[in-house]
């Protein structure tokens, strides 16, 4: 699902792609979409975008001399699970292009499309941000931090921290993959009470003896949860969105951002994995301290495992082993004694 960084990147794409384009005519909506019609028509207008949290505002601004004369119109989009913007030739519209803005002649006709495969995305006329959403974690960090710490008495913080991080009244722009990454980096149990985690940040004050550069370095080296709610989305934006990089040989990577993840130390390799890796069943960590893996030259030779040594008879006679033919075997059929 698109989260704050993806909305921010979408706004950047619209601004870059439409910077020198002039749009004209009516705005088309697909007949299957349940979103409202966009009653806008102009012979020449420009399109710009601005993101805030999990919302994106698209502004249609008529150019000087455009007909009919009219005021700019703003739309606020929420992408749902699969929403995105694409700029394509007008005769090659992608499937599920539910809202379309066409360029004006001359030149090849293009279409800026809001594409939404699952139709969970929404747009509203008027340009007002959705009421109740908090400050953006990306663009309004100081207001975001103050809004959280000032409202810790709210019942939303009675929930586990993993639930509270999805509350857009306080964490506008945070979603599933961002909260997982933030909690993982801080080693915070996801079901720890949110208020317990966040109240500790109220007492966190840098030492007045530190210089400004030392305070900045301390924040970068030991960020708290609210700082990561700002810096982790910024990392995603700098990477250009959630990238699925190819796994390097011999290394595991995270599903979202290509971060190398070491294998779990608690999970012992299976017998098949030991055979493939060429590992012995007993490693040096299992050998008692002060012992050697090499054979003592004065010690009697140790027989190979699995081979039975013939015991020399104490007398010159070989003792015959008696076997009763009518005694059933105690081993299950098809197995061998170790």
């Amino acid at each position: 699902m698109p989260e704050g960084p993806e909305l921010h990147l979408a706004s950047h794409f619209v601004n870059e792609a439409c910077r020198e384009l002039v749009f004209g005519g009516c705005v088309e909506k697909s007949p299957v979409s349940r979103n409202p019609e966009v009653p806008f028509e102009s012979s020449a207008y420009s399109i710009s975008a601005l993101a805030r949290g999990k919302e994106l505002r698209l502004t249609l601004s008529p150019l000087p001399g455009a007909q009919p004369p009219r005021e700019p119109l703003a739309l606020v989009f929420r992408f749902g699970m699969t929403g995105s913007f694409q700029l394509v030739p007008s005769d090659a519209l992608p499937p599920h292009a539910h809202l379309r803005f066409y360029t004006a002649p001359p030149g090849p006709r293009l279409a800026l499309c809001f594409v939404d495969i699952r139709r969970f995305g929404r747009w509203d006329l008027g340009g007002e941000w959705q009421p109740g959403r908090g400050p953006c974690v990306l663009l309004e960090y100081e207001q975001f931090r103050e809004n959280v710490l000032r409202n810790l008495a709210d019942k939303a913080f009675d929930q586990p921290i993993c639930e509270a991080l999805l509350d857009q009244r306080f964490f506008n722009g945070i979603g599933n993959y961002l909260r997982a990454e933030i909690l993982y980096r801080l080693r915070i149990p996801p079901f720890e009470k949110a208020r317990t985690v966040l109240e500790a940040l109220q007492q966190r004050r840098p030492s007045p003896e530190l210089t400004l550069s030392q305070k900045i370095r301390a924040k970068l080296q030991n960020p708290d949860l609210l700082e990561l709610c700002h810096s982790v989305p910024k990392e995603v934006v700098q990477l250009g969105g959630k990238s699925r990089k190819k796994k390097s040989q011999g290394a595991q990577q995270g599903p979202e951002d290509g971060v190398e993840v070491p294998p779990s130390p608690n999970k012992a390799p299976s017998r098949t994995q030991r055979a493939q890796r060429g590992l012995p069943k007993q490693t040096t960590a299992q050998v008692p301290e002060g012992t050697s893996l090499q054979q003592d030259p004065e010690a009697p030779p140790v027989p190979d495992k699995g081979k039975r040594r013939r015991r020399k008879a104490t007398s010159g006679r070989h003792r015959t082993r008696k076997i009763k033919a009518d005694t059933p075997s105690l081993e299950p059929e098809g197995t061998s004694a170790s």
Side-chain angles (χ1 to χ4, degrees):
M1 176 183 293
E3 301 180 20
E6 286 73 37
L7 273 291
H8 184 83
L9 288 167
S11 70
H12 180 74
F13 164 75
V14 170
N15 289 330
E16 289 295 315
C18 302
R19 177 177 297 170
E20 299 181 358
L21 296 179
V22 176
F23 293 81
C26 298
V27 178
E28 288 185 357
K29 182 182 80 74
S30 69
V32 298
S33 174
R34 297 181 180 179
N35 285 296
E37 295 282 351
V38 180
F40 183 88
E41 182 178 0
S42 176
S43 59
Y45 66 96
S46 63
I47 295 180
S48 61
L50 174 66
R52 181 178 184 268
K54 286 192 177 184
E55 295 180 298
L56 182 146
R57 178 192 288 155
L58 210 63
T59 303
L60 316 180
S61 304
L63 300 180
Q67 297 297 324
R70 61 162 302 144
E71 294 295 318
L73 176 69
L75 308 168
V76 172
F77 289 80
R78 289 175 290 280
F79 282 13
M81 295 189 70
T82 56
S84 66
F85 278 100
Q86 296 181 26
L87 185 65
V88 298
S90 61
D91 58 354
L93 297 178
H96 312 287
H98 295 301
L99 199 63
R100 304 179 287 268
F101 309 87
Y102 293 97
T103 57
R109 200 178 189 207
L110 303 176
L112 178 69
C113 305
F114 178 67
V115 181
D116 185 14
I117 297 174
R118 303 193 68 177
R119 304 185 199 171
F120 290 160
R122 294 288 181 267
W123 63 79
D124 295 320
L125 304 178
E128 297 295 328
W129 302 118
Q130 191 175 27
R133 284 184 177 265
C136 176
V137 296
L138 262 171
L139 304 179
E140 303 167 318
Y141 170 67
E142 293 299 334
Q143 300 95 307
F144 150 70
R145 186 181 185 92
E146 181 185 357
N147 183 48
V148 172
L149 296 180
R150 187 180 65 245
N151 291 286
L152 288 182
D154 192 280
K155 63 180 181 180
F157 299 105
D158 293 334
Q159 302 180 85
I161 187 63
C162 64
E163 297 287 343
L165 282 172
L166 298 182
D167 193 326
Q168 299 301 295
R169 295 176 299 162
F170 303 105
F171 298 92
N172 188 12
I174 300 297
N176 287 324
Y177 83 86
L178 287 174
R179 69 166 175 175
E181 178 66 17
I182 291 165
L183 295 177
Y184 170 77
R185 290 192 186 186
L186 295 174
R187 300 296 192 269
I188 295 177
F191 294 101
E192 185 78 20
K193 190 175 181 179
R195 188 175 293 107
T196 302
V197 174
L198 295 168
E199 278 180 342
L201 307 187
Q202 291 179 318
Q203 284 78 38
R204 183 179 176 183
R205 295 288 187 273
S207 172
E209 299 177 358
L210 297 177
T211 64
L212 178 60
S213 61
Q214 289 173 331
K215 291 177 182 178
I216 294 174
R217 189 181 302 112
K219 276 192 172 185
L220 293 175
Q221 293 175 348
N222 300 291
D224 61 33
L225 184 139
L226 298 180
E227 288 166 347
L228 284 184
C229 286
H230 172 66
S231 62
V232 172
K234 282 182 64 177
E235 291 177 21
V236 178
V237 171
Q238 291 167 359
L239 291 171
K242 294 183 291 181
S243 59
R244 299 192 176 210
K245 298 181 180 180
K246 292 183 179 180
K247 292 184 179 180
S248 58
Q249 189 173 5
Q252 296 180 357
Q253 292 183 338
E256 302 291 351
D257 53 6
V259 176
E260 188 171 321
V261 180
S264 173
N266 297 325
K267 185 175 181 181
S270 65
R271 186 176 300 174
T272 303
Q273 290 173 331
R274 284 198 300 267
Q276 292 173 347
R277 297 177 189 174
L279 296 175
K281 291 186 178 180
Q282 184 183 34
T283 63
T284 55
Q286 296 171 304
V287 179
E289 191 175 357
T291 62
S292 172
L293 292 177
Q294 297 180 350
Q295 179 68 38
D296 186 349
E298 297 183 1
V302 179
D304 294 339
K305 185 178 180 181
K307 293 183 180 181
R308 300 181 61 181
R309 295 183 62 199
R310 296 182 61 186
R311 182 181 299 174
K312 292 183 180 181
T314 54
S315 64
R317 294 178 299 173
H318 179 68
R319 190 172 180 178
T320 305
R321 185 180 179 184
K322 295 182 180 181
I323 300 176
K324 294 183 180 181
D326 57 347
T327 304
S329 173
L330 297 178
E331 298 175 9
E333 187 175 349
T335 62
S336 60
S338 57

